[in-house]
Amino acid sequence: MAIQAVRGMKDLLPPESPKWRFIEATAREVFSSFGFSEIRTPILERTELFSRSIGEETDIVSKEMYTFSDRSGDSLTMRPEATAGVVRAFLESKLYAVPGPHKLFTIGPMFRHERPQKGRLRQFHQLDCEVLDDAGPQGDAELLVLAHHLLERLGVRQVTLVLNSLGCPECRPGFKQGLMDYFESRQGALCEDCRRRLASNPLRVLDCKQEGCREISQGAPLISGSWCEACAEHFEEVKRLLTMAGVSYETDPKLVRGLDYYTRTAFEFKTSQLGAQDAVGGGGRYDGLIEVLGGPATPAIGFALGVERLALLLEDNPEWQKGPALFIAALGDEPRDWAFGAAQKLRRAGVWVEMSAASASLKAQMRRANKSGAARVLIVGGEELTAGRAPLKDMATGEQQDLPLEEIVNRLMAAGA
Ligand code: AMP
């Protein structure tokens, strides 16, 4: 049998690939307009980086990582998320010596050994933004406005921003104790994982997907009841700035990111369009992480959006389906030579031009032109070439204009598309 791709890892092929290019190009444009610079970190990192930052207790570290010993006997892991690698690079290159905020983005593959299904793969791709050395609520709001703006530009609708605040080292211990007391008296009904988690991090119980645990979580104390004044103010300010920017949101006091280093703002972008995989992206403030990884205390916030899920949501956006600006149907050798020259000239100016072999019949060429999704079709035969004019058809309106060949080329070159 022919060798097949690894389960949960997919090839990206046309016609899907233009959609991805559209997503990535739009993201790069939006990230730049918010002043983000690109960072690329290796796919392989030392396993310890993830076990220390994401935490041994999490599903990602305990069940989902692609970990192996390399030929030198070092334990390496294929990154399951981007933040840890970005923070490691930030520390290793001593970027922190320069005053922040440092706004960084990265786009690339992540690896988790999960059960594959629609919108869930073992190699998946994320658009990831991190802002390091920025403590204020304005940083949170700006990042959320960025994500909102990107979704809008992609034409992805029916996505809800869900927000919460997870408190800080001042107020969270009290909340954790309250949770522990609540769950301890109901331990019998919790799943095995949660019973284990209870002692180390009861917040993770709130995140458990098991039916029994979810039911019990319904009645658990809410973090909003424990916020200190500074956390409550921070959250109010984030919400005020979002409202001012016209970004709508919902709050959910049950939304948690169950890792100790998460502080204050936590959020998810949710959709009802993707069945069980309802998160398009998520993130939050992680003021404690950089210290956990051995760096100076540095407040930071970030998010990741999943490219596969965005691609599923962008089915109908005509933007990414754009075809060539011009299709030249040439009939005969001389018109073919003219078309060949004109196509090169236009392509050099960045205009996407297609043409077919001049030996094909007009009918066959028109069929190809239609299939290509070209915006315009130019039909050039011997007569047109002698006259120096030819009909240019706008494929969207069906309108046809008889124009000088030179003018057609110049117009398209000037438009650059
Ligand atoms: P997380 O790092 O788990 O918060 O994930 C952030 C985003 O990455 C999610 O909202 C998804 O869009 C995407 N994502 C996470 N895991 C997968 C996966 N296994 N397959 C596809 N997309 C994923």
Side-chain angles (χ1 to χ4, degrees), residues 236-301:
E236 277 311 308
E237 182 61 3
V238 173
K239 291 190 290 182
R240 191 185 70 82
L241 288 168
L242 287 177
T243 306
M244 217 170 79
V247 174
S248 50
Y249 58 84
E250 285 173 10
T251 54
D252 177 1
K254 290 211 161 64
L255 178 94
V256 292
R257 318 239 338 142
L259 309 180
D260 270 340
Y261 61 76
Y262 274 111
T263 44
R264 296 191 170 162
T265 315
F267 55 89
E268 250 178 24
F269 288 93
K270 289 194 170 170
T271 178
S272 55
Q273 308 288 299
L274 295 178
Q277 309 310 315
D278 65 350
V280 186
R285 183 162 270 291
Y286 52 90
D287 290 352
L289 175 64
I290 296 171
E291 247 180 321
V292 167
L293 290 176
T298 310
I301 183 164

Side-chain angles (χ1 to χ4, degrees), residues 392-411:
L392 180 71
K393 186 172 176 183
D394 185 308
M395 300 299 274
T397 60
E399 244 172 69
Q400 197 158 299
Q401 253 186 308
D402 195 47
L403 293 168
L405 289 172
E406 214 179 289
E407 189 184 326
I408 294 173
V409 173
N410 288 341
R411 266 202 217 174

Side-chain angles (χ1 to χ4, degrees), residues 188-259:
L190 293 177
C191 73
E192 204 181 306
D193 279 348
C194 283
R195 281 205 294 271
R196 191 164 33 79
R197 284 170 186 149
L198 198 53
S200 56
N201 192 348
L203 260 84
R204 288 206 42 81
V205 180
L206 296 176
D207 226 2
C208 181
K209 303 283 179 277
Q210 299 278 341
E211 199 49 48
C213 302
R214 282 168 71 143
E215 249 169 54
I216 295 177
S217 293
Q218 288 297 324
L222 297 175
I223 179 90
S224 43
S226 304
W227 290 331
C228 61
E229 209 173 305
C231 282
E233 270 173 23
H234 185 106
F235 198 42
E236 277 311 308
E237 182 61 3
V238 173
K239 291 190 290 182
R240 191 185 70 82
L241 288 168
L242 287 177
T243 306
M244 217 170 79
V247 174
S248 50
Y249 58 84
E250 285 173 10
T251 54
D252 177 1
K254 290 211 161 64
L255 178 94
V256 292
R257 318 239 338 142
L259 309 180

Side-chain angles (χ1 to χ4, degrees), residues 122-392:
R122 289 180 173 173
Q123 175 176 333
F124 60 97
H125 299 75
Q126 286 185 339
L127 310 172
D128 183 90
C129 283
E130 311 288 345
V131 185
L132 303 149
D133 199 6
D134 187 346
Q138 192 186 323
D140 307 29
E142 220 174 80
L143 198 70
L144 288 163
V145 172
L146 180 159
H148 175 83
H149 192 63
L150 174 58
L151 293 170
E152 208 173 62
R153 282 280 308 276
L154 291 173
V156 170
R157 275 169 258 282
Q158 288 154 316
V159 172
T160 309
L161 166 61
V162 186
L163 274 184
N164 193 18
S165 171
L166 302 179
C168 67
E170 284 287 308
C171 55
R172 201 157 36 178
F175 171 64
K176 262 174 104 167
Q177 191 55 53
L179 266 190
M180 206 117 63
D181 296 344
Y182 174 84
F183 285 126
E184 250 164 18
S185 58
R186 295 162 177 84
Q187 267 205 48
L190 293 177
C191 73
E192 204 181 306
D193 279 348
C194 283
R195 281 205 294 271
R196 191 164 33 79
R197 284 170 186 149
L198 198 53
S200 56
N201 192 348
L203 260 84
R204 288 206 42 81
V205 180
L206 296 176
D207 226 2
C208 181
K209 303 283 179 277
Q210 299 278 341
E211 199 49 48
C213 302
R214 282 168 71 143
E215 249 169 54
I216 295 177
S217 293
Q218 288 297 324
L222 297 175
I223 179 90
S224 43
S226 304
W227 290 331
C228 61
E229 209 173 305
C231 282
E233 270 173 23
H234 185 106
F235 198 42
E236 277 311 308
E237 182 61 3
V238 173
K239 291 190 290 182
R240 191 185 70 82
L241 288 168
L242 287 177
T243 306
M244 217 170 79
V247 174
S248 50
Y249 58 84
E250 285 173 10
T251 54
D252 177 1
K254 290 211 161 64
L255 178 94
V256 292
R257 318 239 338 142
L259 309 180
D260 270 340
Y261 61 76
Y262 274 111
T263 44
R264 296 191 170 162
T265 315
F267 55 89
E268 250 178 24
F269 288 93
K270 289 194 170 170
T271 178
S272 55
Q273 308 288 299
L274 295 178
Q277 309 310 315
D278 65 350
V280 186
R285 183 162 270 291
Y286 52 90
D287 290 352
L289 175 64
I290 296 171
E291 247 180 321
V292 167
L293 290 176
T298 310
I301 183 164
F303 75 78
L305 290 166
V307 179
E308 282 79 3
R309 294 188 194 168
L310 288 173
L312 285 167
L313 290 172
L314 152 120
E315 258 5 306
D316 301 327
N317 187 332
E319 279 279 327
W320 65 267
Q321 294 167 330
K322 268 191 192 153
L326 179 69
F327 189 100
I328 310 178
L331 299 163
D333 289 345
E334 271 181 55
R336 197 265 326 270
D337 283 356
W338 176 85
F340 198 78
Q344 303 325 318
K345 202 167 155 186
L346 283 164
R347 287 168 178 159
R348 210 170 279 139
V351 183
W352 179 10
V353 183
E354 293 288 341
M355 57 182 286
S356 52
S359 55
S361 69
L362 179 60
K363 205 169 145 197
Q365 294 200 46
M366 289 308 287
R367 213 180 304 128
R368 245 200 83 190
N370 264 323
K371 214 171 145 211
S372 75
R376 307 166 193 84
V377 178
L378 177 66
I379 303 168
V380 193
E383 257 175 50
E384 285 79 12
L385 201 60
T386 316
R389 305 176 69 88
L392 180 71

